[in-house]
């Protein structure tokens, strides 16, 4: 065998043979396996890299989600820590739910047997029980404890008003009324009281149940319903007083009925903190008042002209508010359910829009019997009120406002509660004439109550 340059293999030098051997090594099975192992190792490394990348990506997403949740949770606390207070939200009073006739009848039908059984058991127990003086004492003791707990939320609102006499001498008059703490927010204590405290006041002060006095302001008032909201800054009240006061919840007057036992709190007996026990003797469901109708409850408790306060049921909830025209031999109060929207708006510093009419619903039956259009019969357009100044007359029948059908005083009340003083509305009325009723359109600029 000769190599490429023509020489025989045996003529080559040993070094050349060695070099030839190194330059042309023959492949063997072991080296082939080694090469395959190197390829497999590269594949596994790539898979590990992909797995690690996916793990890092998933960890980053999880960390981001957790960070967002922690930020959302900490944000309000951080605002309180750095700003010193939490952002205020609008005060809202939940709407009361009324049970429909169908639901009521089905519920009564399904539980009539159970109620009859319970009544029989109760009647039997009452007849067999021998009442004693201690039972009478226990009843009044329980009512006294309830009244004491309510009085923790009763305050005295004092106002000082300055005026001058004929000789320009300064005269300061003082007025007092009871109030009830109905809500406490992060920044203020809201007190429901009578409108008389808002008349030309120069200084307002609130005295809590423990005797501590604090400066206050009248946040808003409504002269037509006779209520006002007074605000006390939480930062002006010491910790001890804050821990001792309570809020008295607003209940529902829709279920008020004659014979229901009640407690009068506030100032029913000439001084704040007095209480009186009694019962509701009569309830009028739709008493005409300016721009509204209201439930009025009459009690058997006698009060004086300077009295003010609240009617509370035995669950400790306010169901009525005594107004300036509600005192007397049979103290009356406006049902709290008819005042809730007003209380909500005044507590948010908003005033009430004023239309200026008292009216009576003209139902379909009344319309047929008396030949009147269906709507609100205006019994009085209050002199110098917005409606009166726009041309509305006694005897007109209101049928719509801003294109919305208005056929009941309650509907008109809800419509006006959604408006602001200064808003201009279009009022459609039917006016009686020689040829019967004819439509008339009026533009009314709402005032402030």
């Amino acid at each position: 065998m000769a190599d490429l340059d023509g020489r025989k293999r045996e003529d080559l030098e040993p070094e050349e043979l060695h070099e030839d051997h190194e330059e042309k090594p023959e492949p063997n099975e072991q080296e082939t396996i080694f090469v395959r192992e190197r390829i497999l190792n590269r594949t596994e490394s790539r898979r590990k890299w992909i797995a690690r990348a996916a793990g890092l990506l998933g960890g980053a997403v999880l960390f981001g989600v957790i960070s967002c949740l922690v930020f959302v949770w900490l944000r309000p606390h951080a605002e309180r820590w750095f700003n010193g207070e939490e952002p205020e939200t609008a005060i809202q009073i939940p709407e009361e739910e009324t049970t429909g006739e169908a639901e009521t009848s089905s519920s009564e039908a399904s539980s009539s047997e159970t109620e009859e059984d319970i009544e029989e058991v109760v009647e039997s127990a009452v007849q067999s029980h021998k009442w004693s003086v201690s039972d009478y004492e226990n009843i009044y003791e329980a009512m006294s404890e309830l009244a004491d707990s309510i009085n923790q939320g009763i305050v005295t609102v004092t106002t000082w008003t300055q005026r001058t006499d004929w000789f320009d001498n300064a005269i300061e008059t003082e007025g007092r009324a009871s109030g009830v703490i109905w809500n406490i927010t992060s920044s203020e204590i809201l007190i429901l009281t009578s409108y008389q405290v808002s008349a030309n006041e120069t200084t307002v002060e609130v005295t809590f149940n423990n005797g501590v006095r604090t400066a206050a302001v009248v946040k808003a008032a409504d002269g037509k319903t006779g209520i006002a909201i007074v605000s006390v800054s939480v930062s002006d009240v010491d910790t001890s007083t804050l821990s001792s006061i309570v809020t008295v919840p607003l209940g529902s007057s829709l279920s008020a009925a004659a014979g229901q036992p009640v407690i009068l709190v506030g100032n029913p007996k000439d001084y704040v903190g007095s209480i009186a026990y009694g019962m509701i003797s009569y309830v009028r469901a739709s008493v005409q008042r300016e721009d509204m109708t209201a439930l009025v409850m009459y009690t058997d408790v006698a009060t004086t002209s300077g009295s003010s306060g609240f009617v509370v049921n035995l669950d400790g909830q306010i169901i009525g508010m005594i107004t300036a025209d509600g005192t007397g031999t049979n103290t009356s109060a406006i049902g709290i359910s008819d005042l809730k929207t007003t209380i909500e708006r005044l507590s948010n510093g908003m005033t009430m829009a004023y239309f200026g009419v008292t009216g009576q619903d003209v139902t379909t039956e009344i319309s047929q019997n008396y030949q009147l259009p269906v709507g609100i019969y205006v019994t009085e357009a209050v002199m110098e009120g917005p409606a009166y100044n726009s041309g509305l007359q006694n005897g007109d029948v209101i049928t719509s406002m801003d294109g919305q059908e208005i056929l009941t005083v309650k509907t008109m009340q809800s419509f006006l509660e959604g408006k602001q003083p200064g808003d201009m509305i279009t009022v459609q009325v039917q006016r009686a004439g020689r040829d019967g009723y004819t439509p008339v359109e009026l533009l009314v600029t709402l005032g402030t109550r």
Side-chain angles (χ1 to χ4, degrees):
M1 179 176 178
D3 61 359
L4 295 177
D5 58 4
R7 290 182 294 175
K8 292 183 180 181
R9 185 176 183 83
E10 55 269 15
D11 297 333
L12 297 174
E13 294 296 329
E15 293 81 2
E16 294 179 309
L17 284 174
H18 181 68
E19 291 174 0
D20 183 64
H21 178 73
E22 288 181 349
E23 292 175 359
K24 298 180 180 181
E26 294 183 3
N28 53 65
E29 183 179 359
Q30 182 177 0
E31 187 172 351
T32 304
I33 294 173
F34 175 75
V35 172
R36 283 202 300 266
E37 288 176 350
R38 289 177 62 189
I39 295 173
L40 288 174
N41 285 340
R42 288 180 179 176
T43 304
E44 291 177 358
S45 177
R46 184 178 300 169
R47 289 178 179 173
K48 289 182 179 178
W49 183 85
I50 294 174
R52 289 177 181 174
L56 289 173
L57 180 62
V61 173
L62 180 61
F63 178 78
V65 172
I66 294 174
S67 299
C68 291
L69 293 176
V70 172
F71 175 77
V72 171
W73 181 76
L74 284 177
R75 180 178 179 181
H77 301 282
E79 290 178 347
R80 184 178 69 251
W81 295 332
F82 292 107
N83 298 332
E85 60 179 10
E86 295 181 357
E88 286 294 324
T89 56
I91 298 166
Q92 294 183 342
I93 300 177
E95 294 184 3
E96 297 183 17
E97 297 182 357
T98 55
T99 305
E101 295 181 358
E103 182 180 351
T104 303
S105 60
S106 62
S107 175
E108 291 177 352
S110 62
S111 60
S112 58
E113 295 181 0
T114 305
E115 291 179 355
E116 290 177 359
D117 295 338
I118 294 175
E119 289 177 359
E120 290 179 1
V121 173
V122 172
E123 184 178 356
S124 175
V126 171
Q127 291 177 352
S128 61
H129 179 75
K130 293 183 179 180
W131 298 91
S132 63
V133 174
S134 61
D135 294 322
Y136 185 80
E137 292 176 344
N138 290 337
I139 292 174
Y140 270 89
E141 182 178 354
M143 295 181 69
S144 177
E145 291 177 356
L146 176 59
D148 287 341
S149 65
I150 295 171
N151 271 336
Q152 298 301 314
I154 299 297
V155 301
T156 303
V157 181
T158 307
T159 60
W160 290 271
T161 304
Q162 290 187 353
R163 61 184 181 85
T164 56
D165 60 13
W166 291 97
F167 305 99
D168 289 333
N169 296 318
I171 299 175
E172 186 176 69
T173 58
E174 179 181 316
R176 289 189 179 184
S178 62
V180 62
I181 302 172
W182 86 270
N183 198 356
I184 301 177
T185 69
S186 60
S187 62
E188 61 182 346
I189 301 170
L190 295 172
I191 298 166
L192 174 62
T193 186
S194 60
Y195 175 78
Q196 64 194 40
V197 305
S198 69
N200 301 320
E201 78 287 345
T202 56
T203 306
V204 183
E205 184 181 77
V206 167
T207 305
F208 293 98
N209 186 261
N210 61 356
V212 173
R213 297 181 177 182
T214 308
V217 295
V218 177
K219 195 166 188 180
D222 178 15
K224 300 306 177 184
T225 56
I227 64 176
I229 296 295
V230 170
S231 172
V232 174
S233 177
V234 170
S235 60
D236 292 339
V237 182
D238 61 88
T239 305
S240 176
T241 301
L242 277 177
S243 62
S244 67
I245 61 177
V246 299
T247 59
V248 183
L250 305 181
S252 172
S253 55
L254 299 180
S255 58
Q260 177 181 348
V262 291
I263 303 174
L264 273 63
V265 297
N267 182 19
K269 294 297 181 181
D270 294 333
Y271 62 92
V272 176
S274 59
I275 60 174
Y277 303 127
M279 70 174 184
I280 299 174
S281 54
Y282 181 62
V283 174
R284 292 180 62 189
S286 298
V287 177
Q288 294 183 23
R289 300 180 72 94
E290 290 185 44
D291 296 348
M292 65 182 294
T293 61
L295 179 145
V296 176
M297 59 187 73
Y298 298 84
T299 70
D300 60 351
V301 179
T303 55
T304 61
S305 58
S307 301
S308 62
F310 310 89
V311 179
V312 180
N313 60 20
L314 297 189
D315 291 325
Q317 301 172 335
I318 298 173
I319 61 173
M321 182 170 178
I322 303 170
T323 58
D325 58 351
T327 56
T329 304
N330 298 103
T331 302
S332 63
I334 300 177
I336 201 68
S337 297
D338 295 312
L339 299 176
K340 284 184 176 180
T341 301
T342 303
I343 295 171
E344 179 182 301
R345 287 178 63 92
L346 298 182
S347 297
N348 286 293
M350 304 168 64
T351 53
M352 303 295 295
Y354 178 48
F355 184 56
V357 300
T358 58
Q360 177 69 45
D361 296 348
V362 179
T363 63
T364 303
E365 182 179 358
I366 295 175
S367 174
Q368 294 174 351
N369 293 337
Y370 296 94
Q371 304 302 311
L372 293 172
V374 176
I376 303 171
Y377 182 86
V378 178
T379 56
E380 181 184 6
V382 181
M383 188 173 294
E384 301 304 324
Y388 177 89
N389 292 335
S390 298
L392 193 71
Q393 301 176 5
N394 295 349
D396 287 349
V397 179
I398 299 172
T399 57
S400 72
M401 292 181 170
D402 280 351
Q404 178 181 334
E405 189 176 58
I406 304 291
L407 302 181
T408 65
V409 177
K410 279 295 183 187
T411 306
M412 180 183 69
Q413 179 180 345
S414 299
F415 174 84
L416 294 174
E417 287 171 348
K419 295 297 181 179
Q420 302 290 340
D423 287 351
M424 179 175 288
I425 62 174
T426 303
V427 182
Q428 292 282 350
V429 303
Q430 294 286 331
R431 179 168 294 170
R434 294 181 179 179
D435 300 325
Y437 281 88
T438 57
V440 176
E441 183 175 282
L442 304 171
L443 292 177
V444 181
T445 300
L446 300 175
T448 303
R449 293 203 321 202

